[in-house]
Amino acid sequence: MAPTTIRIAMLNADIPVSNVLSQRGTYGNIFHTLLSQAASRISPDTSIISTDYDVREGQYPLSLSDVDVILITGSASSAYDNLEWIHRLDDYVYDVYTNYPRIKMFGSCFGHQLICQSLLREFGVTVEKDPNGWELGVKKVELADEFIDALKASSKTAACRPLEKAPKSVRLQMVHADHVNIPSDHTMPSSWTTFGSTKHCRVQGVYQPNRVLTFQGHFEFDRFINSETMKVFGAAWDREVLQQTLEAIDAEDDSRVAAKIVLRFMTEKSPVKGTATRAVVGGLLTPPLQE
């Protein structure tokens, strides 16, 4: 395979809790490590170059000419919070998707919800509190048949070793109380599909070939990261509830499998450049993007 470089703009929507930050770095750092490790396993000729941006502080790439992928991390905030940085990120996602068709997007948890809110709101898709409450610990995500078929097809164009067998499920660490609500399976555009579902949460991600992939779960979290996170966020919880949560976190997951899925998406053959199909919402961003 010819050498491939994936240039990722890591849009950090939060920072890890202190124990995680001191040992693993930013969420962008954690994603970079996992994707680089995945590349070493299935695509040795692929290298990952990433740059961190703190979107809460208004940090964005000044130009997209050297960006292949926009990656949006998780956050303690909600996609529907009335905060200026979230409104700007929402507009930014829509603008990049509309005007830069060669750039792919991946979102995790908050990133998943924000991308769905930004790109699918006109189809009735919303982000809201999950009526089932928190989904915590390692959960088994049953992959949608349409996504499995798409994964097999993408294996033919991705700059990775061909799939020996497409997984039917992945176990991912979870920590979320919001979810993406899709009114019906026919709501989304025909080129989109859901990633999978759990018994708790029906929409565990979305996928549009060559453009968008999102996970509700955290493949970037492991036992240590999720446990340290919940010790902080669950500090005021009932002790028994917190203990049950920590026990649910202390389980095997499929982060390596998920990382390979994400890497395959990032190396899929990109669509041909074209003109925007929709008008930009909210006018130009500041500073203006430059291709």
Side-chain angles (χ1 to χ4, degrees):
M1 295 182 182
T4 301
T5 299
I6 303 174
R7 303 163 299 178
I8 306 175
M10 299 286 189
L11 304 189
N12 290 274
D14 212 336
I15 58 171
V17 297
S18 59
N19 284 350
V20 175
L21 182 64
S22 64
Q23 295 192 41
R24 303 287 183 85
T26 66
Y27 287 129
N29 296 150
I30 296 168
F31 276 112
H32 178 96
T33 297
L34 288 172
L35 292 170
S36 295
Q37 291 172 346
S40 70
R41 293 192 297 271
I42 66 171
S43 185
D45 293 322
T46 297
S47 59
I48 307 294
I49 297 176
S50 66
T51 305
D52 269 18
Y53 300 91
D54 188 338
V55 292
R56 299 170 308 156
E57 299 298 324
Q59 297 176 7
Y60 288 88
L62 292 178
S63 169
L64 290 175
S65 61
D66 58 353
V67 173
D68 301 307
V69 178
I70 295 290
L71 188 153
I72 304 175
T73 73
S75 177
S77 299
S78 294
Y80 49 77
D81 284 345
N82 187 22
L83 297 173
E84 180 57 35
W85 74 265
I86 293 179
H87 295 317
R88 183 179 180 189
L89 180 59
D90 190 301
D91 285 348
Y92 184 86
V93 166
Y94 193 90
D95 185 20
V96 172
Y97 180 84
T98 303
N99 294 306
Y100 299 86
R102 68 172 184 79
I103 294 179
K104 300 175 183 179
M105 295 185 182
F106 175 79
S108 173
C109 198
F110 168 86
H112 150 68
Q113 295 163 5
L114 191 285
I115 288 172
C116 289
Q117 174 179 277
S118 177
L119 302 183
L120 298 173
R121 60 161 49 90
E122 66 185 76
F123 300 96
V125 175
T126 59
V127 179
E128 60 188 28
K129 287 291 182 186
D130 190 330
N132 294 323
W134 285 89
E135 186 172 33
L136 301 164
V138 176
K139 303 297 180 184
K140 183 178 181 181
V141 179
E142 298 289 348
L143 301 187
D145 290 340
E146 294 84 354
F147 180 77
I148 294 174
D149 291 342
L151 186 62
K152 293 176 181 176
S154 73
S155 179
K156 300 174 183 178
T157 63
C160 301
R161 292 177 183 138
L163 281 175
E164 294 181 1
K165 184 178 179 181
K168 294 185 177 180
S169 64
V170 291
R171 296 165 296 174
L172 297 178
Q173 292 279 358
M174 301 284 174
V175 51
H176 68 101
D178 293 336
H179 75 153
V180 171
N181 180 34
I182 301 176
S184 75
D185 292 338
H186 304 293
T187 297
M188 295 192 300
S190 60
S191 61
W192 292 63
T193 183
T194 56
F195 167 68
S197 63
T198 60
K199 294 179 180 179
H200 182 108
C201 178
R202 187 171 71 90
V203 183
Q204 284 289 338
V206 297
Y207 173 69
Q208 184 190 29
N210 306 316
R211 295 303 311 277
V212 176
L213 176 64
T214 68
F215 291 171
Q216 177 60 76
H218 293 269
F219 86 89
E220 77 280 14
F221 279 21
D222 56 18
R223 288 179 171 93
F224 168 71
I225 295 174
N226 210 6
S227 294
E228 292 300 314
T229 300
M230 290 315 303
K231 288 174 185 177
V232 173
F233 286 95
W237 291 8
D238 178 85
R239 181 175 297 180
E240 183 176 348
V241 173
L242 179 57
Q243 183 58 37
Q244 290 174 349
T245 299
L246 294 176
E247 290 173 0
I249 289 169
D250 187 20
E252 293 295 327
D253 62 58
D254 294 315
S255 65
R256 286 164 60 100
V257 175
K260 290 192 292 186
I261 290 174
V262 175
L263 185 68
R264 288 185 185 283
F265 160 71
M266 290 183 176
T267 62
E268 286 174 4
K269 185 178 298 183
S270 298
V272 177
K273 287 187 178 183
T275 57
T277 57
R278 296 186 291 176
V280 177
V281 171
L284 291 175
L285 301 178
T286 303
L289 296 176
Q290 298 175 358
E291 183 65 279

